Every structure is written in C-alpha cells, then in structure tokens.
Amino acid sequence: MDFTLDAEQVALRDAVRGLLGKSYESSETRRAVTKQDPGWDEKTWAQLAEMGALGLPFAEADGGMGAGPVEVSIVAEEIGRVIAPEPYVEAVVLAGGLIAAAGTDEQRAEILGALSEGTLVPVFAHNEPGQRYSEAGAGVTATKSGDAWTLTGVKEPVIGGARADLLIVSAAVDGGTGLFLVKPDAEGLTRDGYATFEGGRAARIGLNATPATPLGEAGDQSGVIAKVIAEAQIAYGHESLGAMQSALEQTTEYLKTRKQFGVPLSTFQALTFRAADMYVELELARSVVTWATLVLLDGGDAQEAASRAKLQVSKAGRHIGKEAIQLHGGIGMTAEYSVGHFTSRLTAIDHTLGDGRHHLALLVERLDDHGVIEPLP
Amino acid sequence: MRLQLSDEDVAFREEMREFFTTKVSKEIRDTVAARHELTKEQIVEAQQALNAGGIAVPNWPVEWGGKDWTPLQRHIWHEEMQLANVPIPLAFNAGMVGPVIAAFGSQELKERFLPKTANLDIWWSQGFSEPDSGSDLASLRTTAVKEGDEYVVNGQKTWTTLGQYGDWIFNLVRTDPEAKKQAGISFLLIDMTTPGVTVRPIELIDGGFEVNEVFFDNVRVPAENLVGEENKGWDYAKFLLGNERVGVAPVGATKRSLSAAKDYAKTAGPGGTSLLDDPLYASQIADLENELLALELTALRVVAHSTDGKPHPASSVLKLRGTELQQAVTELYVDMGGPASLASGAGPESDLADWNKVSTPYYLNFRKASIYGGSNEIQRTIIAGTILGLRG
Ligand SMILES: Cc1cc2nc3c(=O)[nH]c(=O)nc-3n(C[C@H](O)[C@H](O)[C@H](O)COP(=O)(O)OP(=O)(O)OC[C@H]3O[C@@H](n4cnc5c(N)ncnc54)[C@H](O)[C@@H]3O)c2cc1C
C-alpha cells in the first residue's frame, strides 16, 4: 500500500503543471481562450501531445505511452488546478478509452496514434435529450443494409461535439448498445455548437441515415461503455480535486489579505472554521478518488469505485465551490475573478456522467452486497 | 391564537390575486415564470401598472401614495405578487430611497422625487458599497466636500445593481473625514448624467451584466440634494436597511419556483418518466416544501408581531434561511436537468427544454443572494449578538 507518487510520476506532474501554468497564467488568459471557438487552445493541446500526455493510457503498439490510470489522474488533476479548457478527459479518457477498449487493431492504431500526436480529437456522443444519465444511448437507432450501417436520431449535449474530428456515437442495436464511428462531415449529419456556462463547448448532433462504421465488433458494447465511463468518472474526480484545491488555496489567500472592520477576514473564526471544513471535504474526496484510481490499477470493480468517487466529489465540490464564492463576498461573483470559474467547472463536472444523487442511487442498489466495505484487496 | 384569516383579509387577498393576474401583462408574467431576464421597459411597465392601481408603494406614508395596510396585508400583497409572477416594484425605489426621502427629506425633495420614484419615472441605483467597504460599510471613503452651494464628490462605488439603467443614484458619502466612522456620513442624491459620473459594467459568473462600478470624478452636486441633515446619513441608511422586514425572504417566489420544479419533475426522468418516483428527488422536494412552510410561518409570525412598527428580531432568520432555500431550489433545477443543464448556450435548434438552458446560469447567479443586502455571516452575527447576547 502506497499513496505517494514515484519520481517519474512527480516529474510528469511538474512538467504538466509547468506547461499549463504558462498557458493559463491567470483567469484572464483562460477567459480569452474560452471566449473564442473551439473554446480551448490548439497550441496547448499540441504541447500536451508533445509531452506525451495525450497518449498516456494507450498501448505503445497503438502509438501511446503505455502508462496507466495513475498517470492519467496526474494530468487530469493538473487540468483541474487551472481549469484548463482542453478536453483531456473527454477526448483521451472517454473517447480514447472506448477506442482502446473496443476498436479493431487498425482502428486503434490509426485513431489512437493521431490522438496521441494531437492531430485528431475524438469525442463520445452519448447524451440524449430526455435521457439524463442513461447508459443505453437508445435514442439513436442503427440500421444495417448489406455491409453498410447508418444512424438516425439526436445526441445532445455532446461535449466538444462541434470541434471534434471524429464522433463515437452510441446507438441501439440488436441486444443492446453499439458503438459507431461517424465523421463529422458525413451525410445527413448536422451539428449545432454552443458555449456552456463554464466556458466549455457542447453541441446538438442530428443524425439522419448518417453513414457510420462500427467501432470494433458490430453488436452490444454496453460492458465496454460502462467500464470506460467509470474510468472517465474517476478521471473527472481528479480534475475536480485540482479545481477544489485551487479554489481552497485562493480562498485562504483571500481571507488573509482582504480587510474589513480594520482587520483581515482571517481574524474572524467563523470564516476560518469554514475554510477548515472545506479542507476536510477536500481531503476526504482526495482519499476516495485516489482509492478509485488504485482500484482501476488493480483491475477491481471500477463501477462501484467510480460511483463512490463521484458521490464524494459531488458533495465536496458543491460545498467547496459554494463556500469559495461566499467567503469571497461580491468579488467571488465576478467573471473577472477566477474563483467563480472553479465553482462553475465543478458544477459542470458534477452533472457530467452522473451527479452525486445518481451515484448514491446506484450505491443504494448495492447496499445488500456487503456487510462492511473493505477498501483494500 | 387563531389560524384563519379574517374575512376582510381573505377579501383583500382575493382582490390582490385578481389585480396581479389581470392588470400586469401576461407576457411579463410568463417571462418571470420562465426565469428569463426582464427588460428595463418590462420592469417599468409592471411597476407603472401597480402604481396606476395605487399599490406600488404601500409601505410609504399615505400622503405619498402609501396604504394604511396592516403588516399582514402588506405581506399578502407581497406574496400574491410573487405567486402571480409579477415582478416586485424596484427595491431601490420602492423599498429604499422612497421611504428615506419620505421620512427624512425636505418637502421640496419629497415633491420633486416621490411621485416619479413611485411610478419608476426615475430609476434609482444604490451607491453604498465600495471596493474596500462591503460588510464594513461604515468604512466608506467616497468624499463629498462642500463648496458654496454644491458638494464636490470624488470616489468609487461598486456592485451597483442595474446601474446601467439608473437615472439617479442615492449614495452614502463621507462629509466629515475627522469624525468617527459612522458619524461623518451623509445621504446624497446624484443625477447620473452629471459630468464626472462614469458607470462601468461588471460581468458576473453567469455571463450577465447586472452590477456596475460607478466612478465619481469631481462631480458637482447641488447641496439641496442632501437628504436630511449632513453627517446623519448612517441613521438613514440603518432605517433603510431595517425598513424592509416584510419581504426580506422571497417566500412566494421560492414556493412558486419549487412548485414549477415539481411539474417539470413529472417528465424529467429518463425517457420522460417522473423524477417524483425517485425517492431521492421526492424526499428532497418534500423536505424543501417543509422548510419553506417553516419559513413562511415564521414570516407570518414576524408579520403578526410587528404591528407596533418595531422590527421583529427574527427578520435575520428570514433573510438567512430565505436565501438558503432560494438557492436550494435553483440547485434542484440544475440537478433535475442532469447533463441537459450543461446546455446553457443552446440555441433554438436544441432539443432540450428551455428550463434546462436557464437553470445553471440562474443557480450560479443566485449565489449572490447570501452575499448582498447583509451577507448571511452578518445575519448570523446579528442573531448571535443582538438576539442571543453573544459578543464574538
Ligand atoms: C450581485 C450583487 C449585487 C449587489 N448590489 C448592490 C447595490 O446595488 N448597491 C450596493 O451598494 N451594494 C450592492 N452589493 C454589495 C453587497 O452589499 C456587498 O457585496 C456585501 O455587503 C458584502 O461585501 P463584500 O462583497 O465587500 O464582501 P466582504 O465584506 O469582503 O466579505 C467577504 C466575506 O467575509 C464575510 N465577512 C465580512 N465581515 C465579516 C465579519 N465581521 N464576520 C464574519 N464574516 C464576515 C462576508 O460575509 C463574506 O462572506 C451587491 C452585491 C452583489 C454580489
């Protein structure tokens, strides 16, 4: 049992932190980037690729780095620390993860190689209007005629969907949910992109008899989808940890410098205790999320671990996000100051791939599986 | 003890209900119900409709358009207005500067300003807070120096809500820099078109522009625009802030939006199923309803006991819990939307419901409610100090 990073992992963290710290020096630089499409910085993306960060989880044979969930978690957390708008979890962990898990040899080599090099951004088009956090993706239907497949239906909101070079679309097939590759310029496809409240981008993707290629075997891929979603949920947990850490640091700094009634706010115990509670929430979330990553590393029950991580992060993120604004007072409400952006991003992550309540419900279903929870294998 | 309203109050409630649902345009009420932003014109139109019916400023002296209503009737007026999705009269006019001018202003100021203030012919902004003076308002530094029959004003105000629409701004300014904090402050009315006044918008985290910075650079203000006596401004500000004990908790609006949430919930589950069948949602909504009931009853107890005109000490309870519940309901909307609540910027081609698109900006925007108008920490300080006798 060891919860610390080794020297190589520390080096990775420092390198990514250095790069992102330069790209997103202040909230102003981030705002300038998120104001324009595609909502993130292509140069930073290319630099992440150069550093090897985009290929971390993929096999070397597929053009990746052959690293694991711990390395991914390090990058995700650094993304969160500066709430970099680059779609790391979306493109690498989620879309890349699906390709790695379900793709044929050629699909893997072709797509993951380009993703690792930063030249191709894939995203997973899975959300559907009116379906909340359903894993089925059944609102899009797949039809086969001869050897050719077509898809019809609507996906929304698709995070990063307007800029993506490749869409992985979930769709109803005989016996479950299949995965398909769709080119954004394919026939019958419409995409309407828009900005999301936290500076991100999403899109409505309409499919009308749109040609598609099965990702891997044509047929039910729901097992793969569930596993990769769990990996992304845990990576989002790390991104949230980074954001929570920064929000807390910024808040404690503010309490030390902001003066009211002739004294720094930090002289009011009512406020310092609340900062202390934020820290408590952060540390507890850190423990569960880190544990979940280690469960992934061990090949344990990823879905259960992901639900536990998501639940803890949902609660901690809401608590820390709200308190960060409140303890700042008016300045915390402004777009020119970054603390509100952390809260916005935490809110967005919370409502992506299941919020706390959703995961609590999943855990309720499992209550009877165990007498005690035993975190160590 | 008795729970029923008197026949008179029941009739009064009917009368209000009838008025609000017929005399204010449906378009405005629908905009409020959909939680969309009202235009300046709509806010003016709504208040003028109330004023035409003689019920825009019931809290003012009768001479100036007020009503001799009991606190309970004022409460009913306020609640029914919110339940009918009618925007409440602009607080800066109706709740703040109007009552101060009516109570402390010269006859000349009253005649000049009160009718236009009631009718929203003048849009007032509130210039109290400054960058370094928020919770500690009395530390404010904007100065007004008397030169002949003018004051020369220099300094900066901030967080001025809807200052972009403002015709006039009522300010707390320092007129005696030698005096102790609270003692040297005056209450000054400034025409925002005066040379030297600059308004700069501030973007908030929901992307909206509802607050502003206001700069005063050698702004010359006629001395007759001083309300009451020089250096007595703090007393007037305290009167202003303590004035609105009816309506500090937006119970009616929160009740209405919780009930709308319940309606949306009926089809917001996966595949159009009801989220009310989900025990986590059902129990949260039931719990919120109960909290709101407790709040409303507390508001009624406050109202029932404030006939002597003194603020009930529990008004801090109303502000504190009222804003918490208001915020909790905005959060419920975001949760009910799930991933759809990401779609804040979606256009007309989107397949997602309109309430999904507005829910997260609304949630983020309402983090303000526990900050402005005396933050919730300041309310707790009042409860601990004034009510419980605990000095921190
Ligand atoms: C959206 C919005 C609209 C506003 N509209 C107006 C307006 O129209 N006109 C106007 O004049 N002002 C307006 N305000 C300003 C508002 O009144 C102030 O923001 C508020 O008084 C808090 O001051 P501050 O922002 O300087 O925070 P600070 O006073 O710096 O407070 C920061 C934090 O410390 C806490 N704190 C401060 N002192 C203490 C203490 N002694 N004990 C415990 N905790 C403490 C606060 O509660 C807060 O959590 C508005 C604010 C907002 C956010």
Side-chain angles (χ1 to χ4, degrees):
Chain A
M1 192 182 60
D2 179 4
F3 291 99
T4 56
L5 301 178
D6 65 27
E8 238 176 281
Q9 292 164 337
V10 169
L12 172 67
R13 183 195 66 191
D14 292 348
V16 178
R17 187 174 297 180
L19 167 65
L20 294 177
K22 252 188 244 136
S23 298
Y24 298 105
E25 220 175 1
S26 71
S27 61
E28 277 314 304
T29 48
R30 179 181 182 271
R31 268 182 97 203
V33 167
T34 57
K35 271 201 172 131
Q36 288 177 3
D37 284 339
W40 44 275
D41 180 27
E42 305 277 5
K43 189 171 140 229
T44 302
W45 190 248
Q47 287 171 325
L48 283 167
E50 240 165 71
M51 199 173 263
L54 304 187
L56 279 173
F58 312 126
E60 290 177 37
D62 295 334
M65 305 288 288
V70 176
E71 285 72 22
V72 167
S73 78
I74 290 169
V75 180
E77 196 157 327
E78 294 308 318
I79 292 269
R81 281 183 79 95
V82 295
I83 43 174
E86 281 66 35
Y88 186 75
V89 176
E90 294 78 10
V92 174
V93 184
L94 193 51
L98 289 169
I99 294 156
T104 62
D105 289 352
E106 297 94 80
Q107 285 172 334
R108 289 202 317 272
E110 190 190 330
I111 305 168
L112 297 180
L115 168 57
S116 303
E117 284 166 16
T119 53
L120 181 145
V121 179
V123 304
F124 185 29
H126 186 54
N127 284 328
E128 289 171 4
Q131 289 303 330
R132 292 177 64 75
Y133 303 116
S134 159
E135 292 195 347
V140 170
T141 50
T143 315
K144 190 176 183 192
S145 99
D147 269 350
W149 288 86
T150 56
L151 303 182
T152 296
V154 174
K155 293 288 182 181
E156 188 184 2
V158 178
I159 301 173
R163 160 64 181 80
D165 303 304
L166 181 66
L167 301 167
I168 302 164
V169 182
S170 55
V173 294
D174 263 357
T177 306
L179 290 170
F180 295 85
L181 298 175
V182 178
K183 298 228 170 73
D185 56 2
E187 208 178 304
L189 184 146
T190 52
R191 47 178 178 174
D192 295 290
Y194 46 81
T196 56
F197 58 86
E198 95 289 18
R201 292 294 186 281
R204 173 193 188 275
I205 309 272
L207 303 156
N208 186 6
T210 300
T213 311
L215 178 66
E217 295 287 303
D220 181 36
Q221 301 272 20
S222 38
V224 167
I225 296 173
K227 177 176 161 282
V228 175
I229 282 183
E231 289 167 3
Q233 285 160 338
I234 294 167
Y236 273 134
H238 286 281
E239 193 178 329
S240 301
L241 287 178
M244 289 190 273
Q245 176 87 43
S246 292
L248 173 59
E249 279 167 12
Q250 210 171 349
T251 305
T252 51
E253 210 41 53
Y254 193 75
L255 292 179
K256 286 189 238 169
T257 49
R258 169 73 171 173
K259 282 190 175 168
Q260 289 287 280
F261 304 97
V263 292
L265 292 180
S266 58
T267 42
F268 301 122
Q269 197 178 54
L271 302 183
T272 58
F273 274 22
R274 286 167 63 174
D277 283 342
M278 291 164 75
Y279 176 76
V280 170
E281 289 292 334
L282 172 61
E283 285 306 315
L284 294 172
R286 181 176 293 290
S287 299
V288 180
V289 175
T290 307
W291 167 79
T293 293
L294 297 177
V295 170
L296 280 185
L297 188 67
D298 273 8
D301 185 343
Q303 282 184 67
E304 190 211 323
S307 281
R308 296 196 182 283
K310 257 294 203 162
L311 172 59
Q312 199 71 31
V313 166
S314 172
K315 289 198 288 188
R318 285 173 199 230
H319 177 84
I320 291 173
K322 290 173 189 171
E323 289 287 79
I325 292 178
Q326 182 69 25
L327 297 189
H328 274 82
I331 189 86
M333 289 295 301
T334 64
E336 287 160 51
Y337 192 81
S338 66
V339 82
H341 298 263
F342 287 99
T343 306
S344 297
R345 182 63 189 143
L346 287 166
T347 306
I349 294 177
D350 192 7
H351 294 92
T352 305
L353 306 183
D355 62 8
R357 188 186 336 237
H358 174 77
H359 288 285
L360 181 59
L362 296 178
L363 293 172
V364 165
E365 287 171 16
R366 292 167 165 261
L367 257 188
D368 222 13
D369 293 1
H370 51 266
V372 292
I373 296 177
E374 179 50 76
L376 303 179
Chain B
M1 295 238 246
R2 174 173 59 88
L3 194 56
Q4 286 96 345
L5 291 178
S6 68
D7 292 348
E8 235 183 333
D9 288 330
V10 170
F12 178 81
R13 189 170 63 184
E14 271 315 304
E15 190 193 322
M16 291 296 122
R17 217 165 261 185
E18 162 84 17
F19 186 96
F20 292 131
T21 50
T22 57
K23 296 290 196 294
V24 177
S25 83
K26 185 160 180 319
E27 195 197 330
I28 289 177
R29 288 182 289 120
D30 287 348
T31 307
V32 173
R35 311 200 301 169
H36 283 275
E37 211 178 307
L38 292 164
T39 63
K40 178 184 181 180
E41 289 68 33
Q42 286 177 312
I43 296 172
V44 171
E45 187 192 319
Q47 181 158 336
Q48 292 185 343
L50 299 194
N51 201 40
I55 58 168
V57 290
N59 50 318
W60 292 13
V62 174
E63 190 193 349
W64 296 105
K67 291 279 183 186
D68 230 347
W69 286 345
T70 62
L72 178 59
Q73 286 174 317
R74 262 162 63 186
H75 175 84
I76 292 171
W77 164 80
H78 196 258
E79 291 303 296
E80 290 301 324
M81 191 157 48
Q82 294 175 73
L83 286 171
N85 292 309
V86 170
I88 58 170
L90 189 67
F92 307 116
N93 284 40
M96 297 181 181
V97 75
V100 168
I101 293 176
F104 307 106
S106 64
Q107 184 64 19
E108 195 258 323
L109 283 185
K110 289 180 197 173
E111 287 170 12
R112 192 168 147 210
F113 286 115
L114 290 179
K116 288 183 175 170
T117 299
N119 203 44
L120 202 40
D121 295 329
I122 294 177
W123 184 295
W124 286 95
S125 294
Q126 180 191 22
F128 282 14
S129 304
E130 298 183 7
D132 290 330
S133 306
S135 299
D136 181 17
L137 188 56
S139 68
L140 60 93
R141 288 204 295 247
T142 295
T143 54
V145 178
K146 190 115 180 234
E147 280 183 18
D149 52 6
E150 285 181 330
Y151 285 101
V152 179
V153 179
N154 279 289
Q156 181 193 347
K157 295 292 174 180
T158 191
W159 310 125
T160 313
T161 296
L162 302 181
Q164 67 268 39
Y165 301 153
D167 301 308
W168 281 74
I169 181 166
F170 57 95
N171 295 276
L172 291 178
V173 290
R174 192 158 295 286
T175 34
D176 182 357
E178 305 301 319
K180 273 206 155 169
K181 256 176 142 181
Q182 283 85 349
I185 294 173
S186 297
F187 196 104
L188 191 61
L189 312 178
I190 303 180
D191 181 340
M192 292 177 81
T193 60
T194 318
V197 179
T198 317
V199 178
R200 191 188 79 85
I202 301 174
E203 185 180 351
L204 293 187
I205 49 176
D206 62 336
F209 290 90
E210 66 183 52
V211 293
N212 302 268
E213 294 178 294
V214 181
F215 300 89
F216 299 94
D217 180 16
N218 284 317
V219 176
R220 306 192 81 86
V221 181
E224 72 228 31
N225 290 2
L226 181 80
V227 176
E229 286 175 51
E230 201 175 77
N231 298 329
K232 286 271 160 53
W234 189 252
D235 293 341
Y236 312 151
K238 274 200 306 193
F239 167 86
L240 175 157
L241 296 169
N243 202 10
E244 268 309 85
R245 56 189 179 279
V246 174
V248 283
V251 186
T254 308
K255 266 165 75 174
R256 172 180 41 68
S257 86
L258 183 58
S259 132
K262 237 180 355 182
D263 280 343
Y264 293 135
K266 286 175 190 155
T267 52
T273 55
S274 177
L275 280 181
L276 299 180
D277 294 336
D278 175 335
L280 293 180
Y281 274 100
S283 63
Q284 190 192 356
I285 292 173
D287 193 33
L288 281 171
E289 284 188 334
N290 221 47
E291 288 282 341
L292 271 170
L293 172 69
L295 181 70
E296 180 168 9
L297 290 169
T298 308
L300 287 167
R301 280 173 57 217
V302 170
V303 162
H305 290 275
S306 59
T307 28
D308 57 354
K310 278 209 204 82
H312 190 287
S315 55
S316 283
V317 174
L318 300 182
K319 168 76 172 48
L320 181 62
R321 188 47 64 87
T323 53
E324 285 175 356
L325 291 175
Q326 190 178 24
Q327 292 174 333
V329 174
T330 65
E331 189 171 0
L332 174 71
Y333 272 81
V334 183
D335 291 345
M336 282 180 16
S341 60
L342 285 165
S344 53
E349 67 287 335
S350 166
D351 282 17
L352 303 170
D354 187 67
W355 66 268
N356 292 140
K357 298 177 199 167
V358 293
S359 62
T360 320
Y362 209 77
Y363 161 72
L364 291 169
N365 181 273
F366 268 84
R367 305 315 309 163
K368 70 188 176 184
S370 50
I371 295 170
Y372 62 33
S375 73
N376 282 6
E377 290 68 42
I378 297 301
Q379 303 306 328
R380 288 190 179 90
T381 304
I382 293 172
I383 293 172
T386 313
I387 304 180
L388 302 178
L390 304 168
R391 298 281 160 202

